[in-house]
Amino acid sequence: MTRFLITGATGNLGAAALHHLLDRVPADEVSVLIRGPEDAARFRARSIEPRRGDYSDPASLATAFSGVDRLLFVSSPVLDPVVRSEQHRAVVGAAIAAGVEHVVYTSAMGAAHDPGHSAAETALREWSGSSTVLRNGLYTDAFVARALQDVDTAGVVRSASNGSPIATAAVADLAEAAAGALVDPPSRQLWELRGPAWTFDDLAEACTTLLGRPIGHDLVDDAWTGPFAVLFPLVRRGVFAAETDDLRVLLGREPLSIGDVVRRALDARAG
């Protein structure tokens, strides 16, 4: 029996990856890393083994990773680059010491400029074992959620994109790719995961079609875009415009389009 372990299984990406993993392997072969006892019961109710561990506690990781064959390492949500880098090195080090056979790491586009991702990727490159590094693109879901919020409040989609395209990826697709790489490790180590490029005009058109009423796209200043304000200067420079085939290859199908993600978001709202 192969023992799989997923970290970050209570977060969006980790939980979605767990869902896809359970489509492929029995629940009694799956463990999840939890930081406290509050989540243990609900995982046990699904025949999933919870193991306590904290990225900042190497001793707990050594215990949690014991007997694990394949590890899906979801990157830390901590923002402090020094702490995050230390955490990532601790996770990789504990996995190596525990004899984990294969590690799948959820990195990000532009990882070389992110100390935390860079620390994890470097540690995995220097390891003689087997690993897969998934450099995830920006989440399509986040842009769709913001757009629907703007539609609710102003009746339009807002952006500071100046018409520039952006290649993102749906969380569901990234999670499925991660689960697939865990069960059937690909021969190549590094993958750049982005879906089809789209524009905010495309997003407004998808909203129009699916909501059944005209939804326009207003160009605004960066400051009007809330938490996305830091991204739009990069969008206008084309930093996020490049597509790749890597996600399609790992999925064995076309990734979800902007329209697909809007449809899913609206279906989730409807319950």
Side-chain angles (χ1 to χ4, degrees):
M1 181 183 77
T2 300
R3 170 59 55 183
F4 300 90
L5 187 143
I6 294 181
T7 75
T10 58
N12 288 340
L13 181 61
L18 176 61
H19 170 79
H20 286 289
L21 182 61
L22 293 174
D23 284 340
R24 305 181 66 150
V25 302
D28 62 5
E29 295 182 10
V30 178
S31 301
V32 293
L33 191 72
I34 60 171
R35 285 190 292 178
E38 59 275 5
D39 294 312
R42 66 185 181 91
F43 285 118
R44 288 196 184 98
R46 301 165 64 190
S47 299
I48 299 165
E49 179 196 33
R51 298 189 178 191
R52 198 197 74 79
D54 189 298
Y55 288 180
S56 293
D57 181 357
S60 73
L61 296 175
T63 301
F65 294 166
S66 177
V68 171
D69 300 298
R70 297 184 185 179
L71 170 68
L72 174 55
F73 169 21
V74 177
S75 59
S76 170
V78 171
L79 298 179
D80 185 308
V82 175
V83 173
R84 194 168 186 240
S85 298
E86 291 174 350
Q87 288 180 332
H88 286 182
R89 282 190 286 266
V91 173
V92 175
I96 294 171
V100 174
E101 296 174 1
H102 186 79
V103 175
V104 176
Y105 174 62
T106 63
S107 187
M109 179 184 179
H113 305 290
D114 182 300
H117 287 312
S118 183
E121 289 194 12
T122 298
L124 289 171
R125 277 197 306 271
E126 292 175 349
W127 178 37
S128 60
S130 174
S131 64
T132 302
V133 173
L134 305 177
R135 287 183 177 169
N136 292 342
L138 299 175
Y139 294 169
T140 312
D141 313 61
F143 289 95
V144 168
R146 176 70 186 196
L148 292 178
Q149 179 183 339
D150 285 340
V151 168
D152 288 342
T153 58
V156 296
V157 171
R158 290 171 171 159
S159 88
S161 63
N162 285 355
S164 298
I166 178 170
T168 59
V171 171
D173 281 346
L174 296 172
E176 183 177 339
L182 196 63
V183 174
D184 186 15
S187 57
R188 203 172 91 213
Q189 188 205 33
L190 182 61
W191 298 78
E192 298 278 356
L193 303 186
R194 295 188 286 282
W198 52 273
T199 66
F200 283 85
D201 283 342
D202 296 329
L203 177 49
E205 182 179 347
C207 290
T208 295
T209 299
L210 293 166
L211 291 171
R213 65 180 190 272
I215 303 296
H217 168 215
D218 283 359
L219 290 173
V220 298
D221 293 334
D222 292 336
W224 281 80
T225 64
F228 295 91
V230 68
L231 292 177
F232 275 111
L234 302 176
V235 171
R236 293 192 295 273
R237 286 166 47 196
V239 171
F240 304 115
E243 298 175 322
T244 76
D245 285 333
D246 286 1
L247 185 55
R248 178 185 58 78
V249 170
L250 287 182
L251 293 173
R253 60 167 174 80
E254 292 299 320
L256 296 173
S257 68
I258 187 65
D260 295 328
V261 178
V262 172
R263 181 180 297 105
R264 288 185 171 209
L266 291 174
D267 287 346
R269 280 186 169 196

